[in-house]
Amino acid sequence: GTDDLGRDILSRLIYGARVSLLVSVFSVGLAFVLGTLFGALGGYYKGKLDSVIMRIMDMILAFPYLLLAIVVVAYLGPSLRNAMLAIGITYVPRFARIVRGSVLEECEKDYVTSARSIGAWDLRIIFIAIFPNCLGPLIVLNTLSFDSAILDAAALSFLGLGAQPPDAEWGLMLSNGSKYLRAAPHLSLFAGMAISLVVLALNFIGDGLRDALDPKVQRF
């Protein structure tokens, strides 16, 4: 069918999938890069640097993710780009804490001591020696964060702070169709179903990766 302006709903759903996946990839990618950098530096150098970084992460975690994203978008201005930036910023602490914990554990192992003893640079030790051993939990966290980013982006668009008309984005389609729920519920129904199915699929992928990469899981 078509929406209130005569636009094909199926075409907009398909195009909206590109937008939602782009938002999730960009937001999670930004959080991954910044969180990995801050977490690795804090876990490796410890001391005052670690305390400052973790206190900043705690301050961000003190606010609900969506509320903080709304504050950031309200300051920067409503747009899809600013929504992606806001979601990425709110996700940084979850990556930083995971990386910091993994780096603290890896720093106690012999290969790190050996690398230090031969005079390897700190950045080389962090990103060449230690970081590959921290990828397991990060891959799982990346996958599980994609669905949260899609939901948050849809929520921001629904509130008018994300994608703007005439963009085809699932949250915006939900918002536009909410005015006609009694007369034409399909305007919102299909966008909601698309969000639910994609989030469910990403959760299944994340659970599968967690089971595959967790060394504590017994395989027969």
Side-chain angles (χ1 to χ4, degrees):
T2 57
D3 62 8
D4 55 323
L5 297 178
R7 298 172 296 190
D8 183 68
I9 294 177
L10 178 59
S11 299
R12 289 176 62 79
L13 280 175
I14 296 173
Y15 188 86
R18 296 199 315 172
V19 177
S20 295
L21 292 176
L22 174 64
V23 170
S24 63
V25 170
F26 179 86
S27 302
V28 175
L30 177 63
F32 173 80
V33 172
L34 294 180
T36 297
L37 179 62
F38 293 144
L41 293 177
Y44 185 81
Y45 289 107
K46 306 181 182 69
K48 293 183 178 179
L49 178 62
D50 182 36
S51 298
V52 171
I53 292 175
M54 287 300 106
R55 295 301 75 76
I56 294 175
M57 298 299 109
D58 291 340
M59 289 174 58
I60 297 176
L61 286 172
F63 298 91
Y65 292 123
L66 186 57
L67 178 61
L68 183 58
I70 291 174
V71 172
V72 174
V73 174
Y75 177 77
L76 297 176
S79 70
L80 185 61
R81 181 185 62 183
N82 292 338
M84 292 190 293
L85 181 62
I87 295 171
I89 291 174
T90 60
Y91 285 6
V92 168
R94 61 173 69 178
F95 286 90
R97 291 165 70 92
I98 291 291
V99 173
R100 175 182 177 270
S102 300
V103 171
L104 284 173
E105 181 179 355
E106 295 296 322
C107 282
E108 303 299 324
K109 296 185 178 179
D110 292 338
Y111 73 89
V112 176
T113 305
S114 300
R116 288 171 175 165
S117 66
I118 62 175
W121 292 355
D122 288 345
L123 291 180
R124 180 178 179 83
I125 296 174
I126 294 172
F127 294 106
I128 302 299
I130 297 177
F131 181 69
N133 296 304
C134 307
L135 280 177
L138 282 178
I139 293 174
V140 176
L141 182 59
N142 265 296
T143 307
L144 294 176
S145 296
F146 285 142
D147 58 351
S148 299
I150 291 175
L151 288 173
D152 289 343
L156 290 174
S157 296
F158 185 86
L159 296 173
L161 298 173
Q164 301 296 309
D167 291 343
E169 198 272 338
W170 292 340
L172 187 59
M173 293 175 67
L174 277 173
S175 179
N176 293 335
S178 63
K179 297 176 289 186
Y180 308 99
L181 280 178
R182 291 184 180 274
H186 65 282
L187 297 181
S188 295
L189 177 63
F190 293 116
M193 289 177 59
I195 295 173
S196 300
L197 290 174
V198 171
V199 170
L200 182 63
L202 289 173
N203 271 298
F204 283 151
I205 294 173
D207 288 341
L209 287 174
R210 181 183 58 193
D211 294 341
L213 297 175
D214 189 354
K216 297 179 182 179
V217 176
Q218 297 293 328
R219 301 179 181 86
F220 299 97

